[in-house]
């Protein structure tokens, strides 16, 4: 029996797992009680790493499409086929004819962290799309505009806060997002146990809302208005006290002025939240020794996503809670250093180029995935004809996905890096499957950079495999796209990845290896595998690193491996003002583009809460976006893909619990079982996403037996938050009628 301690790569919580194996079999997976961060917590998905590993539907070898069937081929044949199909299209139609979609699991793999950027460069196309524009792009934009760094998310410091106002997040099901905190529910209960308060704003009484001290039902899509009302009340009642950061914040008066019309009384109608409640929220936030406003999916994937993301932080700044313990803190993962010195930097801008068909501005180098079908379908120079997807299922994850499905069917060449033949990859010509999560090592660069504690953990691979790892697969694609041919050595790419990180350190005056000899540094890393070299380099140059000799007792990958449960370096620390990298060197509370966009929000003050029925989404503990419905342990039991309907609405619409409803939107319709529940706000219905596994030519036999329906057949690709390009996935106007069966 062998025991291996690893980080679960399935969601953002990064729980420590204890994996017991015998030979090539997994005997047991349970929570690692000695993991200093997750302390034994595990959700029902964690142990399914075993089921994923043994799933017969998971591809072990590349497949090439052969009419309606698939043919297993060797890796060499597969890459030869990729070259044969892809390169002529790019040669004839130019680089812009290549589209890329980078899906959610890329943030959970080392390959995604290290090899996707070289892939994007090698592709040479601006037609880059990712899950970010169906998710958190508004928060990147507000963070970029406010403190100059789109990657610095303000994290609710839940372990130390006294007051948490949470909008559009359901961590009892999702285990948290843009806030990595394993056992999020337990940490919320700890706030209550120490006398603090948790308030949840959600049109549905979610499990999280049920456990909160207060649940406030809000009209979908109106959180930005609500938050502006709270900010207004903070000013109005003289509760604004920026505190320590006051000399480093600019734009307070502009915000006060811009929010003049957004009185609690004015926003009460359209949000459905009483003015008195809004004023009380402002008072409670301001009165808490440390409090924080935290918004997630329901505040971001909406019509006013960027405004909502911004307004949440306006409230944090105005109450002195930004970068304050117990407030909204910024992560300081051990593989980075805490900025020192004077604030200021290059700032953040979007719109360096625009999408061809609809002119949407680029944000962080990518275009809104909601416009992907436009780019594939619309003829002309720069039309996408060839496609590469890595770890994504956009035909289920993105708005108006029936249209996207048809668009994918018309591609001239499509290559997917994915372990499954799902609703999207079934359109591929070649599928290149990475090994399972138990067959790769891991260091969570992505989520330790959103974590509420400063943790370091290395996960060795549980099993070895002869198959190429995902970094190797992507490296071969990089070489192909660079025109280096089929026989080029992937070490070229691996070295380029390492070079990038080494060069950055050697140039950085704050690095312990600033100005040192490159060969000497690289020589210390050469005995390691490609990914491990980067991990070692980053740990050694990070806050606790050995600095390649500067601190002989400091952290190295070898020392971290001696602590298989990981190391906890304590709670978050203040980073501002030094970490502010706007051009002004100040926190910009009133970025001009945001203030301009308030005009659009102002127009909604006249909207009434009643009238249109609106569709929202939800997550479920036993489900993970679109790809884990093939695990029978997760999908067994009652049907979970149901339409939640308030009893009053159900009576008006003629729907009964257990009956079928036809849900129709501007772009599509689905027929779905109804669950009548007082948990839903009147006028709002809810469907989970990621379902709809009844498409032909997929290979997910368990999922196909529990298909559910695709909610993104209803979401509208024409609706986009203009500042971030994020899709609007919540608050979709729908009509619901009894379905004739
Ligand atoms: N209506 C609605 N739609 C939504 C959302 C919503 O709330 N409502 N949420 C959105 C959000 S937040 C997100 S992040 C997106 C997610 O949507 P996607 O980016 O499409 O990601 P997944 O659905 O998680 O699909 C993951 C794919 O990656 C594959 N995969 C799994 N592990 C690996 C691996 O290690 N390597 C590789 N190469 N592939 C792997 C799986 O087989 C699957 O095909 O969905 C979005 N869509
Ligand atoms: N089990 C499980 N865990 C997951 C995932 C999963 O698919 N399954 N996906 C992972 C991913 S990729 C992400 S991004 C995170 C997301 O994690 P969360 O942000 O916690 O997302 P959800 O659980 O979808 O919670 C969103 C909540 O917003 C509410 N809502 C909808 N519209 C509105 C609105 O307009 N205003 C307000 N205030 N609320 C609204 C919904 O009712 C729902 O309760 O979860 C991650 N964890
Ligand atoms: S909460 Fe997330 S990280 Fe933890 S075991 Fe479940 S899926 Fe894995
Ligand atoms: Mo996500």
């Amino acid at each position: 029996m062998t025991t291996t301690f690893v980080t679960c790569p399935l969601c953002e919580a990064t729980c420590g797992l204890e994996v017991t194996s015998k030979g090539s079999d997994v005997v047991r997976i349970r929570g690692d009680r000695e993991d200093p961060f997750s302390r034994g917590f595990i959700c029902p998905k964690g142990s399914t790493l075993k089921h994923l590993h043994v799933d017969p539907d998971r591809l072990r070898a590349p497949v090439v499409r052969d009419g309606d069937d698939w043919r297993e081929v060797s890796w060499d044949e597969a890459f030869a086929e990729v070259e044969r199909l892809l390169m002529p299209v790019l040669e004839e139609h130019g680089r812009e004819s290549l589209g890329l979609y980078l899906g959610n699991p890329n943030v959970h793999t080392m390959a995604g962290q290290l090899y996707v950027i070289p892939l994007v460069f090698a592709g040479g196309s601006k037609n880059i799309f990712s899950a970010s524009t169906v998710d958190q792009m508004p928060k990147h934009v507000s963070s970029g505009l406010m403190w100059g760094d789109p990657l610095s998310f303000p994290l609710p410091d839940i372990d130390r806060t006294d007051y948490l106002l949470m909008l559009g997040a359901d961590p009892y099901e999702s285990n948290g997002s843009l806030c990595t905190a394993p056992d999020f529910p337990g940490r919320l209960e700890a706030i209550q146990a120490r006398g603090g308060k948790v308030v949840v704003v959600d049109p549905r009484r979610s499990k999280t809302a049920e456990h909160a001290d207060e649940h406030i039902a809000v009209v979908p899509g109106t959180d930005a208005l609500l938050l502006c009302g709270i900010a207004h009340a903070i000013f109005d009642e003289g509760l604004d006290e920026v505190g320590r950061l006051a000399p480093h914040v600019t734009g307070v008066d502009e915000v006060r002025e811009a929010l003049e019309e957004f009185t609690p009384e004015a926003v009460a109608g359209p949000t459905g939240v009483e003015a008195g409640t809004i004023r009380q929220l402002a008072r409670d936030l301001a009165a808490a020794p440390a409090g924080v406003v935290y918004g997630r999916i329901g505040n971001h994937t909406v019509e006013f996503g960027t405004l909502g993301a911004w307004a949440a932080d306006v409230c944090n700044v105005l109450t002195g809670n930004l970068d304050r313990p117990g407030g909204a803190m910024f992560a300081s993962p051990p593989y980075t250093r805490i900025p020192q010195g004077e604030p200021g930097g290059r700032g953040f801008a979007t719109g360096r180029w625009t999408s061809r068909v609809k002119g949407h501005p680029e944000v962080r180098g990518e275009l809104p995935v909601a416009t992907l079908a436009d780019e594939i379908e619309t003829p002309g120079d720069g039309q996408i004809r060839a496609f590469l997807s890595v770890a994504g299922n956009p035909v289920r994850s993105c708005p108006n996905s029936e249209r996207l499905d048809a668009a994918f069917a018309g591609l001239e060449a499509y290559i997917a890096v994915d372990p499954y033949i799902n609703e999207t990859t079934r359109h591929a010509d070649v599928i290149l499957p990475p090994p399972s999560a138990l067959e790769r090592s891991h260091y969570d660069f992505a989520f330790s950079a959103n974590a509420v504690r400063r943790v370091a953990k290395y996960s060795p691979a549980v099993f070895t495999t002869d198959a190429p790892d995902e970094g190797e697969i992507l490296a071969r694609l990089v070489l192909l796209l660079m025109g280096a041919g089929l026989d080029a050595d992937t070490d070229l790419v691996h070295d380029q990845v390492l070079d990038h990180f080494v060069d950055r350190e050697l140039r950085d005056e704050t690095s312990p290896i600033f100005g040192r000899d490159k060969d000497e540094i690289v020589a210390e890393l050469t005995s390691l595998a490609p990914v491990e070299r980067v991990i070692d380099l980053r740990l050694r140059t990070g806050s606790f690193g050995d600095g390649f000799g500067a601190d002989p007792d400091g952290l190295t990958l070898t020392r971290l491996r001696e602590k298989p449960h990981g190391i906890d370096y304590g709670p978050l620390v203040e980073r501002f003002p030094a970490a502010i990298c706007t051009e002004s060197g100040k926190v910009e509370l009133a970025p001009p583009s945001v203030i301009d966009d308030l005009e659009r929000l102002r127009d909604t003050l006249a909207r009434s809460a009643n009238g249109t029925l609106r569709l929202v989404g939800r997550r479920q503990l036993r489900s993970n976006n679109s790809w884990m419905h093939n695990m029978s342990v997760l999908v067994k039991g009652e049907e979970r893909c149901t339409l939640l309907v308030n009893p009053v609405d159900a009576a008006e619409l003629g729907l009964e619990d257990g009956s079928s409803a036809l849900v129709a939107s501007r772009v599509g319709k689905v027929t779905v079982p109804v669950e009548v529940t007082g948990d839903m706000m009147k006028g709002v219905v809810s469907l989970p996403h990621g379902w709809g596994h009844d498409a032909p030519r997929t290979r997910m036999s368990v999922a196909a037996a529990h298909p559910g329906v695709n909610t993104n057949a209803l979401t509208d690709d024409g609706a986009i938050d203009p500042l971030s390009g994020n899709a609007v996935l919540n608050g979709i106007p729908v009509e619901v009628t009894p379905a004739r069966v």
Side-chain angles (χ1 to χ4, degrees):
M1 294 275 203
T2 311
T3 307
T4 317
F5 299 98
V6 303
T7 299
C8 176
L10 295 174
C11 88
E12 301 183 35
T14 68
C15 300
L17 303 179
E18 180 192 287
V19 183
T20 311
S21 55
K22 193 173 176 188
S24 57
D25 295 327
V26 182
V27 177
R28 182 183 67 199
I29 298 183
R30 62 178 185 183
D32 174 7
R33 272 170 284 192
E34 288 177 61
D35 182 292
F37 197 23
S38 62
R39 297 176 297 212
F41 180 83
I42 184 171
C43 88
K45 293 183 295 304
S47 58
T48 63
L49 286 181
K50 168 184 168 149
H51 305 77
L52 283 167
H53 182 68
V54 299
D55 184 357
D57 286 339
R58 183 174 64 80
L59 300 176
R60 268 65 164 182
V63 291
V64 168
R65 187 138 59 96
D66 194 351
D68 265 355
D69 218 345
W70 296 91
R71 186 162 44 86
E72 226 175 70
V73 296
S74 72
W75 283 95
D76 283 339
E77 285 171 290
F79 283 107
E81 190 67 1
V82 173
E83 185 174 54
R84 190 184 71 79
L85 291 167
L86 210 50
M87 297 319 280
V89 181
L90 304 194
E91 269 148 35
E92 189 181 339
H93 300 285
R95 288 285 161 158
E96 297 306 330
S97 65
L98 176 68
L100 267 97
Y101 178 81
L102 307 165
N104 171 276
N106 281 301
V107 266
H108 297 274
T109 65
M110 294 300 294
Q113 296 303 292
L114 301 180
Y115 291 85
V116 154
I117 289 173
L119 189 67
V120 165
F121 274 104
S125 169
K126 292 196 174 76
N127 282 316
I128 310 296
F129 305 85
S130 88
S132 291
T133 53
V134 277
D135 190 345
Q136 81 290 356
M137 199 57 107
K139 202 74 218 178
H140 286 300
V141 172
S142 70
S143 300
L145 294 173
M146 294 176 86
W147 36 85
D149 182 358
L151 290 170
S152 278
F153 297 124
L155 314 169
D157 188 11
I158 55 174
D159 291 349
R160 291 183 288 183
T161 199
D162 306 294
Y163 180 83
L164 172 61
L165 173 59
M166 180 155 43
L167 305 103
D170 185 12
Y172 273 78
E173 305 284 352
S174 71
N175 278 298
S177 182
L178 302 194
C179 174
T180 284
D183 190 16
F184 207 118
R187 290 170 193 262
L188 291 180
E189 281 155 30
I191 298 175
Q192 297 169 313
R194 60 177 181 264
K197 188 170 178 186
V198 178
V199 181
V200 171
V201 177
D202 197 307
R204 178 174 61 97
R205 185 164 63 231
S206 63
K207 205 165 166 198
T208 305
E210 211 175 287
H211 282 81
D213 298 285
E214 192 179 341
H215 168 221
I216 296 167
V218 69
V219 172
T222 67
D223 297 69
L225 267 184
L226 174 66
L227 288 162
C228 285
I230 296 173
H232 182 102
I234 292 172
F235 282 126
D236 190 41
E237 305 198 3
L239 303 170
D240 52 312
E241 208 179 314
V242 177
R244 178 180 74 89
L245 290 178
H248 307 286
V249 174
T250 176
V252 176
D253 291 336
E254 283 96 320
V255 172
R256 185 199 306 266
E257 210 171 291
L259 294 184
E260 212 180 309
E261 284 166 66
F262 297 88
T263 62
E265 292 68 25
V267 305
T271 59
V273 183
E274 284 176 21
T277 306
I278 298 172
R279 290 189 179 277
Q280 196 57 46
L281 291 172
R283 290 177 201 140
D284 288 350
L285 175 66
V292 58
V293 180
Y294 160 68
R296 236 347 238 131
I297 286 293
N299 187 38
H300 294 156
T301 60
V302 288
E303 199 181 348
F304 301 99
T306 304
L307 285 177
W310 164 81
D313 287 323
V314 166
C315 293
N316 286 326
V317 171
L318 291 180
T319 51
N321 280 306
L322 191 76
D323 201 33
R324 171 204 267 180
M329 296 286 282
F330 297 93
S332 294
Y335 65 83
T336 63
R337 293 180 298 279
I338 294 173
Q340 308 288 342
E342 291 303 307
R346 281 193 307 191
F348 172 75
T350 63
R352 292 166 294 173
W353 57 86
T354 53
S355 69
R356 176 181 65 105
V357 179
K358 294 209 167 146
H360 291 295
E362 149 286 332
V363 178
R364 300 196 68 237
E366 53 180 285
L367 298 171
V369 74
T371 198
L372 173 56
D374 298 321
E375 296 295 334
I376 299 176
E377 285 175 352
T378 312
D381 248 11
Q383 177 184 9
I384 295 176
R385 295 160 183 272
F387 208 82
L388 190 55
S389 72
V390 185
N393 189 7
V395 166
R396 283 297 170 268
S397 311
C398 298
N400 197 356
S401 54
E402 300 280 308
R403 178 181 172 205
L404 200 53
D405 191 34
F408 265 82
L411 287 166
E412 288 173 32
Y414 168 28
I415 314 302
V417 182
D418 204 287
Y420 283 103
I421 306 175
N422 60 27
E423 296 76 21
T424 306
T425 60
R426 72 194 175 110
H427 295 299
D429 299 295
V430 184
I431 306 179
L432 307 168
S436 93
L438 297 177
E439 293 168 324
R440 64 179 188 232
S441 61
H442 187 60
Y443 184 99
D444 219 310
F445 285 135
F447 295 109
S448 57
N450 287 342
V452 297
R453 291 187 69 85
R454 307 179 68 194
V455 286
K457 176 154 172 168
Y458 173 76
S459 309
V462 176
F463 302 119
T464 55
T465 169
D466 295 332
D469 71 22
E470 192 161 359
E472 191 69 17
I473 296 170
L474 297 188
R476 283 192 79 169
L477 290 174
V478 168
L479 291 168
L480 272 187
L481 286 169
M482 285 167 50
L486 288 166
D487 300 321
D489 187 349
T490 50
D491 278 348
L492 282 169
V493 181
H494 299 313
D495 288 347
Q496 190 192 20
V497 167
L498 181 65
D499 273 356
H500 162 79
F501 288 100
V502 175
D503 289 342
R504 207 172 65 175
E505 291 300 324
L506 298 179
R507 280 196 309 264
D508 181 347
E509 286 178 29
T510 70
S511 172
I513 60 168
F514 170 65
R516 283 197 40 192
D517 179 56
K518 183 168 177 176
D519 293 341
E520 200 186 301
I521 299 295
V522 171
E524 286 201 42
L525 302 165
T526 42
S527 65
L528 299 169
V531 157
E532 275 67 17
R533 294 190 303 193
V534 179
I535 301 173
D536 195 33
L537 173 81
R538 301 200 76 185
L539 291 176
R540 295 175 73 177
T541 53
S543 291
F544 308 98
D546 82 338
F548 287 79
D551 175 5
D553 297 327
L555 189 63
T556 63
L557 178 57
T558 307
R559 291 216 171 94
L560 183 58
R561 295 194 70 164
E562 287 161 7
K563 306 262 189 217
H565 308 287
I567 303 175
D568 182 344
Y569 288 102
L572 302 183
V573 291
E574 287 170 357
R575 291 173 63 91
F576 281 13
I580 301 170
C581 30
T582 51
E583 277 181 73
S584 63
K586 308 237 183 217
V587 171
E588 297 282 352
L589 210 60
S593 54
V594 170
I595 299 297
D596 287 350
D597 200 30
L598 278 175
E599 201 51 52
R600 215 168 42 97
L601 190 62
R602 215 167 270 129
D603 291 342
T604 68
L605 284 170
R607 279 191 202 165
S608 90
N610 303 320
T612 325
L613 201 55
R614 295 198 178 259
L615 172 72
V616 299
R618 67 180 187 272
R619 279 175 168 71
Q620 298 166 309
L621 191 58
R622 292 179 171 271
S623 173
N624 201 19
N625 294 325
S626 76
W627 73 282
M628 285 183 67
H629 298 142
N630 212 45
M631 305 296 100
S632 50
V633 285
L634 294 179
V635 291
K636 68 182 182 200
E638 87 255 23
E639 164 88 60
R640 275 190 278 275
C641 186
T642 57
L643 185 77
L644 304 184
V645 186
N646 173 282
V648 177
D649 290 328
E652 279 175 14
L653 298 165
L655 299 169
E656 276 164 39
D657 193 58
S659 69
S660 266
L662 178 72
V663 189
S665 73
R666 186 188 78 87
V667 301
K669 45 180 176 290
V670 301
T671 301
V672 60
V674 169
E675 211 178 317
V676 177
T677 164
D679 288 345
M680 283 319 293
M681 183 180 187
K682 188 176 156 1
V684 187
V685 293
S686 160
L687 254 186
H689 75 281
W691 297 87
H693 303 299
D694 46 4
R697 290 196 303 104
T698 60
R699 193 183 293 172
M700 297 184 24
S701 48
V702 177
H706 303 262
V709 303
N710 172 21
T711 191
N712 282 319
L714 300 168
T715 52
D716 192 336
D717 55 339
I720 291 183
D721 170 45
L723 291 183
S724 65
N726 210 88
V728 176
L729 303 174
N730 285 290
I732 312 301
V734 287
E735 278 178 22
V736 181
T737 48
R740 274 187 217 100
V741 266

